[in-house]
Amino acid sequence: MADDRACAPREDFPLLAAHAAGGAALAYLDNAATTQKPACVLDAMDGFYRTANANPHRSAHALAAAATAAYEDARATLARFIGASPEETVFTSGATHALNTVAFCHCAERLEPGDGIVLTLLEHHSNLVPWQAVAKITGARLSYLAPDREGIVSDEEIDRAVGPRTRVVAFTGMSNVLGTVPPLERIVEAAHACGAVAVLDCAQSIAHEPLDVRALGVDFAAFSGHKMYGPTGIGVLYGKRELLAKTPPLLRGGGMVDAVFERASSFEEAPGKFEAGTQNVAGAVGLAAAARYLGGIGFDAVRAHERKLTRALVSGLDAIPSVRRYGPGPDDGAKRGGIVSFNVKGVGAGEVAHVLDRRGVAVRAGAHCAQPLLRHIGVEATCRASVAAYTTADDVDRFLEAVEAARDEAVALATSRML
């Protein structure tokens, strides 16, 4: 690949810049697990702790007012980022927290025996395991939209699985194994046609595709900050205003109550009632900085850059005889993101990842918290490479060179361990 420019400059990311300055550049291709953080995010969090550290919505002093302003400004920024209102934007510890709130506090309260919960087999465990528990508690019936072997969900499969008794349809915005994007609009339409709520887990897609929750029409959406260049330990739950009003909180305690008596309590309105305890204010400030950073790049630039890299990843892997790649190609007519899973024949996924790591290439190996999907495509584990706005053509070239050598190096490494 001749053009080695990234749409997000590497020098914006201190960790990547430090590796490059040390002479051992890191080809970081584990972005589906977590992204690196730009300096503006680190500076925003550091600035909060240095200048405005206090507990928001509590004390009357000036620092508390500054903390409250910073926290609510961050909420407004994230609301604009997804096309919502601040009243519909709840800070959580991450997508898992948000999805559990929807599953246990909104849906479990309304499901009856025989009602249907429909998921896709593309789901991360965070949008699967809570629904298993809710189905067991309520007697609801859990069923799945099955994609084909490339991860594509057909209209026929949606029509088969979503029916009159369906009350919940929960689905990912992008497969964290295959990179495929389900037909989101079609799924939302099918859910609403039978009166079901549509729950979107967009943790994997939020850094790669623009999201307008109102235009899409989802009832709830969840994402984490750390996959979109923000800090860990912070995320967002979006819910339509009227639905959040009817949803009790998952966590209860200080800061989210209206009145407390010895035997009963009343709660604030949303979003406050969902934010019990001292919140991760610095995390919210950092996440808002990440949203502004992404907005400054522009999703058109991000998508064009990542599509180019994905084509190179897919075509390069397909040219290596010892590699088995999973999922669609970038030009197969399927909407997909920059996540590519593969295995090297005769070598375990973990061994391949170790060989790549020895060459300064970071990927993930395992089941990727998506065991049902891996069984569906007939494997127990894969290696996974995933791109980001700061990924360069050189990263992809180094990755492909390392994969090409992986089989011989893994065999040599195994032999040396036995000696």
Side-chain angles (χ1 to χ4, degrees):
M1 295 176 66
D3 188 351
D4 195 39
R5 291 172 296 179
C7 64
R10 295 291 278 262
E11 54 266 28
D12 286 355
F13 295 82
L15 185 148
L16 298 176
H19 274 270
L26 173 65
Y28 184 80
L29 295 173
D30 195 20
N31 297 287
T34 197
T35 52
Q36 299 304 325
K37 319 307 175 193
C40 63
V41 169
L42 305 179
D43 291 345
M45 297 174 69
D46 183 67
F48 169 77
Y49 280 127
R50 289 181 183 275
T51 66
N53 181 47
N55 211 323
H57 296 298
R58 286 168 173 80
S59 303
H61 52 74
L63 270 183
T68 299
Y71 188 58
E72 293 305 328
D73 285 350
R75 190 193 309 279
T77 297
L78 270 298
R80 287 192 298 272
F81 185 69
I82 62 172
S85 71
E87 294 76 19
E88 298 171 315
T89 306
V90 178
F91 283 119
T92 67
S93 64
T96 301
H97 178 184
L99 291 165
N100 273 267
T101 298
V102 177
F104 287 101
C105 298
H106 185 84
C107 296
E109 296 270 324
R110 291 159 177 80
L111 289 168
E112 298 178 353
D115 285 346
I117 302 171
V118 177
L119 313 178
T120 81
L121 277 175
L122 300 171
E123 300 312 311
H124 186 281
H125 293 165
S126 292
N127 199 31
L128 193 158
V129 176
W131 299 110
Q132 291 176 334
V134 167
K136 185 175 182 180
I137 291 167
T138 63
R141 182 175 57 86
L142 190 61
S143 60
Y144 291 87
L145 295 169
D148 64 18
R149 293 294 291 271
E150 291 189 338
I152 299 169
V153 177
S154 68
D155 285 348
E156 293 77 15
E157 184 65 8
I158 296 170
D159 292 337
R160 178 198 64 78
V162 181
R165 288 298 303 272
T166 302
R167 296 293 175 264
V168 181
V169 183
F171 51 100
T172 183
M174 181 186 296
S175 168
N176 74 321
V177 176
L178 302 176
T180 46
V181 176
L184 305 182
E185 295 84 358
R186 179 73 174 80
I187 293 174
V188 173
E189 178 186 4
H192 289 167
C194 60
V197 293
V199 183
L200 173 64
D201 172 10
C202 53
Q204 201 58 248
S205 58
I206 191 68
H208 311 284
E209 296 284 339
L211 174 64
D212 186 329
V213 290
R214 288 184 178 147
L216 183 58
V218 290
D219 300 292
F220 295 98
F223 61 91
S224 297
H226 71 96
K227 295 182 190 291
M228 56 169 282
Y229 311 105
T232 57
I234 190 73
V236 167
L237 166 63
Y238 159 78
K240 288 181 177 177
R241 188 192 308 256
E242 64 272 19
L243 298 182
L244 290 180
K246 300 174 184 176
T247 304
L250 180 67
L251 302 176
R252 305 176 184 215
M256 48 75 73
V257 291
D258 180 34
V260 177
F261 301 93
E262 286 81 352
R263 299 187 182 278
S265 301
S266 59
F267 307 127
E268 291 185 1
E269 295 181 354
K273 69 177 176 179
F274 298 104
E275 296 176 356
T278 299
Q279 294 299 295
N280 182 3
V281 187
V285 169
L287 181 52
R292 289 191 294 270
Y293 183 79
L294 264 171
I297 298 170
F299 276 107
D300 287 344
V302 170
R303 287 187 292 187
H305 176 68
E306 293 182 352
R307 284 171 183 167
K308 181 178 179 180
L309 295 175
T310 303
R311 286 191 183 94
L313 278 173
V314 170
S315 60
L317 287 172
D318 288 349
I320 302 173
S322 61
V323 165
R324 166 77 185 278
R325 183 182 59 78
Y326 307 94
D331 301 311
D332 289 350
K335 192 173 183 183
R336 61 121 65 234
I339 299 171
V340 183
S341 282
F342 68 98
N343 279 319
V344 176
K345 296 172 186 175
V347 185
E351 285 295 323
V352 173
H354 284 305
V355 169
L356 268 60
D357 183 52
R358 286 157 62 93
R359 287 172 167 257
V361 179
V363 300
R364 182 170 174 182
H368 316 299
C369 297
Q371 292 179 22
L373 175 58
L374 265 68
R375 292 191 198 96
H376 182 68
I377 63 174
V379 294
E380 293 183 357
T382 70
C383 285
R384 182 186 70 188
S386 47
V387 303
Y390 47 66
T391 306
T392 65
D394 182 65
D395 291 335
V396 174
D397 290 342
R398 289 178 57 203
F399 162 77
L400 292 171
E401 290 171 6
V403 172
E404 197 156 13
R407 188 170 187 175
D408 291 341
E409 288 195 25
V411 171
L413 184 60
T415 301
S416 68
R417 288 172 178 167
M418 291 188 291
L419 295 178

